[in-house]
Amino acid sequence: MIIRTILLTGAIMVLAACDMGPKSSYGFTLPDGNAEYGEQYFVEFRCIDCHAVAGKEYLRDGSDGIEPIMEVALGGTTTKIATYGQLVTSIINPSHKVSDEYRVTPEIEGGQSMMRNYNTIMTVDELIDIVAFVQDQYVLRPYTPSSYPVY
Ligand code: HEC
């Protein structure tokens, strides 16, 4: 039992240490973005080629004559809204976390994302506005605590 506690404490210390290392996202904040501009950029950068936004179906109704490539859903009801950090990472480093479904090279473990890389064409202002727009599309589902019968 004591050994287990020591191991556990060690593990927690290691995890906590990682969290605050030079690569930690601690202290990362973006200025507030403008979601309205973000929606325009979302269309201009053709994010709509691959992303269907819940409640914003008009963004890709085909009126521009361009066929969507795929339909990766963004937005909607969720129990946990992605943080700015997570959204920014998804955009500037899409291969950071790639789902099996959307790998360019499914045969390669941890392969590259099919998502385009925008890092040399998107300004930081555009990124901030896009993130504000995407984050606004999520609706938080209130957390319902489980109720346990009283014995
Ligand atoms: C060529 C297709 C394609 C384009 C264009 C594209 N994406 Fe993606 N995006 C994907 C795929 C596929 C994923 C799923 C993650 C993965 O497996 O790579 C994804 C994931 C994401 C995620 C994370 C979603 C989640 O639930 O974790 C965000 C946010 C996102 N994209 C935003 C954007 C934005 C903003 C743009 C435009 C600037 C864009 N994407 C353009 C294909 C695309």
Side-chain angles (χ1 to χ4, degrees), residues 82-100:
T83 64
Y84 263 57
Q86 288 164 332
L87 288 177
V88 169
T89 306
S90 314
I91 298 170
I92 65 178
N93 188 7
S95 296
H96 167 74
K97 194 188 91 205
V98 184
S99 40
D100 291 343

Side-chain angles (χ1 to χ4, degrees), residues 30-31 122-130:
L30 283 179
M122 194 185 279
T123 68
V124 175
D125 275 346
E126 287 162 345
L127 173 72
I128 291 168
D129 291 344
I130 288 184

Side-chain angles (χ1 to χ4, degrees), residues 128-141:
I128 291 168
D129 291 344
I130 288 184
V131 168
F133 165 70
V134 173
Q135 199 166 39
D136 270 5
Q137 305 316 310
Y138 290 93
V139 181
L140 193 64
R141 185 191 304 138

Side-chain angles (χ1 to χ4, degrees), residues 38 41-51 69-75 82 86-104 111-118 121-122 126-127 130-131 133-135 138:
Y41 297 141
F42 197 81
V43 175
E44 278 169 30
F45 281 107
R46 304 297 313 168
C47 309
I48 51 170
D49 285 348
C50 301
H51 290 289
I69 301 172
M70 58 177 99
E71 187 157 347
V72 180
L74 290 184
Q86 288 164 332
L87 288 177
V88 169
T89 306
S90 314
I91 298 170
I92 65 178
N93 188 7
S95 296
H96 167 74
K97 194 188 91 205
V98 184
S99 40
D100 291 343
E101 216 181 319
Y102 303 118
R103 263 193 228 140
V104 178
Q112 250 196 319
S113 170
M114 266 150 112
M115 185 156 146
R116 288 177 201 141
N117 189 312
Y118 293 92
I121 53 169
M122 194 185 279
E126 287 162 345
L127 173 72
I130 288 184
V131 168
F133 165 70
V134 173
Q135 199 166 39
Y138 290 93

Side-chain angles (χ1 to χ4, degrees), residues 1-17:
M1 186 63 205
I2 290 175
I3 290 179
R4 233 168 81 191
T5 314
I6 293 172
L7 282 177
L8 190 70
T9 319
I12 290 171
M13 276 163 66
V14 169
L15 282 177

